Amino acid sequence: MRSKVVFRRLLRNKQARYGFIALLLLVALAYVGPYFGAYDWQEKDFMAFMSAPDADHWWGTTSIGQDMYAVTLRGMQKSIIIGLLVAVISTGVAAIVGAFAGYFGGWVDKVLMWGVDLLLVLPSFLIIAIISPKLRDGTWWWFVVLLAAFSWMITSRVVRSMTLSLREREYVLAAVYMGIPRWKIILRHIVPNLASLLIIDATLNVSGAIIGEAALSFFGFGIQPPDVSLGTLIAEGSRNATGYPWLFAFPAGLLVALVLSVNLIGDGLRDALDPGSNS
Amino acid sequence: MGKYLLRRLAINVILVAIAASLAYMLAATTMNPRAAYEGRQPPVPEATIDATLDAYNLNDKTPVLTRYATWAKGVVTGDFGKTWNGGSVNQEMGRRVMVSLRLLLIGTLLGFALGVALGAFSAVKQYKLSDRLIGVTSFVIMAIPVFVLATLLAIATYNLNRGLGFTLIEYTGEYNPQLSGWDQFVNRLNHLILPTISLSLGSIAFYSRIQRNMMLDVLGQDFVRTAMAKGLRRRKALTKHALRTALIPSATYFAFAFGTMFTGATFTEKIFNWHGMGAWLVDSINQNDVNSVAAVTFFAAVCVLAAAFLSDLLVAALDPRVRVS
C-alpha cells in the first residue's frame, strides 16, 4: 500500500518526526495547559498590573491584570483553529476550482482562471483590513472566510495544470467510457491523484494562515477585542517590549515555535511524498 | 510578439482599473471621513463640514456613483484627488515612494546578493557542516514573521544602546532633521541599519534555499562536467557555467521583488517609524482617507503587474528554452 510506504518514510524522516512531536506538545499546551493554570483568561487580578513572572502568575500579567499564561494559551487556541480552518478551506477550494477548470476546459476554464487572476490582483490586505473590523459583532468565522478567500489562487493554478495531464491518463479515459458522470470522475479519480500536492500545500497553508492572522491582528485588522489571538497579544506586547519583555516574549516565542513545527512537518511530508524533491 | 504584448497590456489595464475601482467603492462606502470633522471642539457647523468635504470629493451625502465618477475623471488625467485634510494625494505619494525606495533599495539588493551567494556556497558544500548550518538557520529565520524579527532587533538595540550609555544605532525614524550636510548623510545611514537587517534577513533565507536547490540540480548535469573535463578550473566552472544557469529562478523572484519595492514594506515601516508607502496604507485606513486608500491600491496593482511583466522578460532573456517556445 502506498499510504503505508509514505507513512513509514515519514516516520523515518527526522524533520517530520521532530515537527510532529513539537506540534503535539504545543497543541497539548494550548488545550490542556489552561486546566493547570490558577487563573481564567477573562479574570482580572486587580492586585497585579504588569507584574513580572512569579510563582503566582507564571508568565506575568497584562496592563489590565489578566494572567499572561491563561491569555496566551487562549490566543494560541484561536491561532491554531484559524490556521487549520483556513488551510483546509483554501486547499479544498483550490483543488475543486483547479480540477474543474483543468478537466472541463473551454469556457469553464476561462471563467475560472479569469476569476483567479482577478483575485490575485485585488488588494487582499486592504479588503480584509476594511471589512473585518466592521464585523465587530460578528464572529471570527468571517475572518477565517476572508483569509481563506484570498489564499487559494496560486495552488489552484498548479492543480489546474496537473489536471490537464491527468485527464489524458488511461484510468480517467476508462472511467469516461464507462459513463461515469464528470463531477464524479473529478472527485474520485483526479483529486485523489493530486493528494500529495494537496497535503503538502494544506500543511504549509496552516503556517501561512497563522502568520497571516497574526500580521493582520498586529494592526488591529484581525481578531477584535475582547477576543485574543497570538497576533493581538504580540501587537500589544511589542508596544512596550523593552520595559515589559514577558508581554512580548511568550506569545512571539509560541508563534515562532508553532510555525516552525508546522513547516518542519510540511518539509518532511514533501520529502516523503514527492520523490523528485531534493532538500 | 507585438500583438501579444499589446493584448497583455490591455488585460493589465483592465485589471488595474477593476482593482482600483473596487478599492474606491469599498473605501467610499464603508469609511467615514466626516468623523474627523464632527468631533471637534468648538463644534464646526454642518454646512462648513459639507462644503469642506464637497471640495475634497469626500462628502457621504453625495451618491457614491457621482463621487466615483469625479474620482475616475481625475485619475484618468493623473490626479488622485485630495487626502482627508485637503492635501494633494499626488504630492504625498511622490514623497512616500521616495521614502520607501530609500528604505528598501539596499535591503532588496543585499538580500538577493547574499542569499544567492550563500545558497550556491551551501550547494557546493552539500551535507557538510556549513551547509547544514546555513540550512537550519534559514529555516528558522523563515519561520519568524517580520514583525517579530523587527521588534526583537529593536529590543536588542535598545539594550545595546543603554549598555553603552550612548546611541550607537538609531532605531526610529528616517533621519535627524537637526543635522545637515555630511553629518546628516551618516545619520541617515545609521537609521538604515536596523530596517535593512530586518528586511534582508528574510530574503537572504528565502533566496538561499531556492538557490541551493537549483544549484544542486545543475551541478549534476553534463555541461558542468564537460566544463571541468575540458580543463576549466573548478571555481570558474562553478561560477561561469553552473551558477549562471542556476540563477534563473532566483532572478525572476528578484525581478518581482524589485518591482514591488515601490509599494513599501508595511511592517518594517510601521515598526521603525518610516513614513513610506506601506505605512501609508495602514494610516490611510485608520484615518478614513478614501482617496489615499484608492491611490495606494492603484499604485500597488500597477507595480505588481509591472513586476510580473519584468520577471517574465527576464526569464525570456536568461532562458533560451523559453525564447524558442
Side-chain angles (χ1 to χ4, degrees), chain B residues 16-288:
Chain B
V16 169
I18 292 176
S21 304
L22 197 115
Y24 183 84
M25 285 301 201
L26 188 67
T29 46
T30 54
M31 288 178 167
N32 180 19
R34 183 180 291 272
Y37 294 93
E38 264 177 343
R40 290 201 177 167
Q41 278 305 336
V44 188
E46 191 166 342
T48 318
I49 298 180
D50 277 340
T52 317
L53 288 176
D54 274 334
Y56 305 156
N57 189 29
L58 291 171
N59 196 342
D60 48 332
K61 288 178 184 162
T62 323
V64 175
L65 285 177
T66 322
R67 271 183 284 159
Y68 173 72
T70 317
W71 174 78
K73 218 182 286 166
V75 170
V76 170
T77 56
D79 177 18
F80 285 99
K82 303 268 188 230
T83 59
W84 70 275
N85 54 3
S88 157
V89 172
N90 286 36
Q91 267 176 24
E92 182 80 357
M93 183 143 87
R95 195 174 62 74
R96 284 186 183 256
V97 167
M98 290 318 288
V99 173
S100 284
L101 208 59
R102 283 197 291 270
L103 173 70
L104 287 164
L105 186 62
I106 298 177
T108 312
L109 293 175
L110 205 69
F112 175 69
L114 280 179
V116 166
L118 271 181
F121 174 77
S122 96
V124 174
K125 302 263 172 199
Q126 192 186 12
Y127 298 140
K128 295 218 174 95
L129 183 70
S130 48
D131 173 35
R132 300 256 153 132
L133 213 65
I134 293 172
V136 170
T137 316
S138 60
F139 199 81
V140 172
I141 287 177
M142 290 216 304
I144 304 179
V146 67
F147 49 90
V148 173
L149 189 67
T151 312
L152 282 177
L153 283 171
I155 297 174
T157 314
Y158 172 82
N159 286 329
L160 177 75
N161 286 341
R162 216 178 47 169
L164 288 173
F166 65 96
T167 310
L168 180 70
I169 301 175
E170 307 271 0
Y171 60 98
T172 53
E174 195 186 339
Y175 61 95
N176 183 350
Q178 285 164 347
L179 300 172
S180 62
W182 178 251
D183 285 339
Q184 203 206 43
F185 181 70
V186 174
N187 187 255
R188 275 176 187 272
L189 285 184
N190 192 341
H191 276 94
L192 258 176
I193 296 174
L194 274 192
T196 303
I197 294 176
S198 85
L199 280 168
S200 52
L201 267 183
S203 43
I204 290 175
F206 175 73
Y207 286 121
S208 79
R209 295 205 74 191
I210 295 176
Q211 191 59 37
R212 177 178 180 275
N213 276 356
M214 276 315 290
M215 195 76 176
L216 284 178
D217 275 352
V218 169
L219 279 181
Q221 279 181 15
D222 295 339
F223 67 89
V224 178
R225 191 159 12 117
T226 312
M228 299 227 218
K230 73 180 186 192
L232 273 188
R233 291 239 173 88
R234 190 175 138 82
R235 175 183 292 271
K236 203 164 183 189
L238 286 180
T239 50
K240 244 192 130 177
H241 292 259
L243 183 63
R244 198 167 161 189
T245 319
L247 211 60
I248 295 171
S250 309
T252 53
Y253 280 111
F254 174 68
F256 200 81
F258 200 81
T260 48
M261 190 166 69
F262 300 89
T263 59
T266 310
F267 290 100
T268 315
E269 283 173 14
K270 281 306 276 183
I271 290 170
F272 294 113
N273 246 329
W274 284 54
H275 302 286
M277 287 298 281
W280 199 21
L281 177 60
V282 175
D283 293 341
S284 61
I285 293 174
N286 285 335
Q287 288 167 343
N288 291 319

Side-chain angles (χ1 to χ4, degrees), chain A residues 114 118 121-123 125-127 129-130 134 214-215 218-219 221 238 241-242 248 255-256 259-260 263-264 267 278, chain B residues 15 18-19 23 26 30-31 139-140 143-145 147 151-152 155 158 209 213 217 266-267 270 281 285-286 293 297:
Chain A
W114 205 77
L118 186 64
V121 177
L122 287 186
F125 181 87
L126 179 80
I127 293 177
I130 292 183
K134 308 275 172 203
F218 187 80
F219 289 130
F221 298 142
S238 71
T242 41
F248 175 73
L255 178 80
V256 172
V259 171
L260 201 59
N263 281 352
L264 276 174
D267 246 40
N278 56 357
Chain B
L15 283 174
I18 292 176
L26 188 67
T30 54
M31 288 178 167
F139 199 81
V140 172
I144 304 179
F147 49 90
T151 312
L152 282 177
I155 297 174
Y158 172 82
R209 295 205 74 191
N213 276 356
D217 275 352
T266 310
F267 290 100
K270 281 306 276 183
L281 177 60
I285 293 174
N286 285 335
V293 167
T297 313

Side-chain angles (χ1 to χ4, degrees), chain A residues 203-242:
Chain A
T203 313
L204 294 178
N205 269 347
V206 173
S207 56
I210 290 174
I211 290 186
E213 179 278 316
L216 280 159
S217 297
F218 187 80
F219 289 130
F221 298 142
I223 296 295
Q224 300 297 326
D227 215 342
V228 292
S229 74
L230 288 183
T232 59
L233 291 172
I234 290 173
E236 198 132 314
S238 71
R239 239 167 269 145
N240 30 28
T242 41

